[in-house]
Amino acid sequence: MLEDVTISNFALIDSVSLEFNSGFTVLSGETGAGKSILIGALSFLLGGKGGTEVIRQGASEAKVSGTFSICKNQLESLQWLEEHGIQPEDGRVLIRRFVRENGKTGAWIQEVPVTRTELAEFASFLVDIHGQHQHQSLLRVLEHRRFLDSYAGITEEVASFTSLYAQLVEKRKQLDELCTSDADRQRRIELLTFAVNEIEEAKLKPEEEDNLTAEENRLLKFEQIYSDVEAVTSILSGIQEGFSVLSALKKAQNHLSQAANSDATLSSLDNRLESSFYEISDIAEELRSFTQGLVFDPDRLEYVQERLALIFKLKKKYASQGHQSSLAEVIEYAKNARRELENITSSQQNKDLLELQVEQLSKTVYTTAKKLSEKRKLFGKQMSKQIESVLSVLGMKGAVFSVSVEEKPETEGGVMQKCGPYGMDDVEFLISTNQGSPVKPLAKIASGGELSRVMLAIKTILAESDSVDTLVFDEIDTGIGGEVSVAVGAHLKKLSKKSQIFCITHVASIACYADNQIKIAKNSGSGSTVTSVQDVSGRQRVEEIARMLSGDAITTESLEHAESLLSRFGGISHG
């Protein structure tokens, strides 16, 4: 139950603090006074949309807060609080929300910050705001199924079915992709198989190309290499022109050694020259060995060149940058191709598994949809009778209301019913407002006043099984008056015995039934317009009812009539 609300700088409201009681509370005021602003502020508090446009002109932020008491039977709201680590205090929670001129917003439940989505989710367990625009939901046939499911208490079952149906749709999609791509898959298998075989038969090694290139270079320049190495060997060993570098170095080293014996400062140079002699001697020996082993093999050159040609071709076919890529890319391509082949090969197994899963899911979806359909048909009949009963009280005696639940057409072959995300049923509300006339779609024949009463009837029967104990009706009196409005007022009064009821109305015969009345007025002055909100009781309430009766002008007759209505329907004496 909503116990109090504080509003600051919201739309035309400067600052308002109100305390509420249980029972039936009416919000009244002159046309254009801003009665819906209060409901708008409450909607904002409960997670409704609201940006900088709701900030009162000249203010920097709009703030709304409210205290709600939570009964022990409101299990959903208590469970939600527990899951979010929020603890009520003495069975109450404080909700706060603000929006600033820079667009920043914030919301809290108790002292815990929450998102707008979380706030709206929690608030849905506490308050049901029925605005005038919701009459129009009765004109949308798709909404009828939602009303019936809520009445039948199968909303969660339908949500589970929707999830199950989504799984089936996804599995069917996967299966269709496998079935429609058989030819493409076969072509892909052939391509990958050829590539893997071609690369694997080559028995490539990551560094092979560099080694082969170096070897090819040696073989192609064999004569030049042999000639140059032989020349160096001759120079070092004295074979060429009777001069030996090694002999000359040896003689030089002997003379330097003798000099070092006489002058120690030459010892380091002596050692270096000696080391040079041995190093060049070793080089000469290795060059002789290299020359002896250097043999030209035309067959080897042919093999190396063929091998390099193969590598060039494979890189051009399977590497991203063609022959300029590294050989590692070709080897990696083969690995990936083998992996893809394995996946494609196993796709047939996947296809078999998917076919089995689709078959099983189809049966489960059908069975579940059938059970939902049976419940809808059962509760549809109960709902029809209950709504007819309420409509009779609301001045529509003889009206026939019917909840039509028709199964969707069968698929080809007639084996399975065609299901949708919410089951196999097409649900539509039908009505006959004239006795003896056949029922027809509600959207086609009901007037605005009749739609208001049908919606009130639906809200009434849903409230009996709903844990939400605060209902807000904005302009529920659209299109009605006279005895019908009296019936609506009486019905709201009766409904308030089970739920806290708020109702915006301009009809006195509805307002007089209320336990509490709040007057909303618009005051202009000092260059600004402000909406004021105040409780009215006693004489003030008589005057407000009188104003509603006489169209904003209070007369002696309207005052007497107001006192009569309040005494008769409000159970209050004002004499």
Side-chain angles (χ1 to χ4, degrees), residues 27-30 33-35 38 518-522 531-534:
L27 288 75
S28 63
E30 297 178 4
K35 297 185 290 297
L38 189 60
I518 295 173
K519 180 181 178 181
I520 293 129
K522 185 160 61 176
T531 292
S532 62
V533 183
Q534 66 176 50

Side-chain angles (χ1 to χ4, degrees), residues 76 317 537:
E76 289 179 314
K317 289 178 66 175
S537 59

Side-chain angles (χ1 to χ4, degrees), residues 174-182 185 347 350-351 354:
Q174 294 174 11
L175 184 58
D176 288 343
E177 288 176 353
L178 286 177
C179 291
T180 56
S181 62
D182 280 344
R185 190 168 64 255
S347 67
N350 293 337
K351 181 181 176 183
L354 274 173

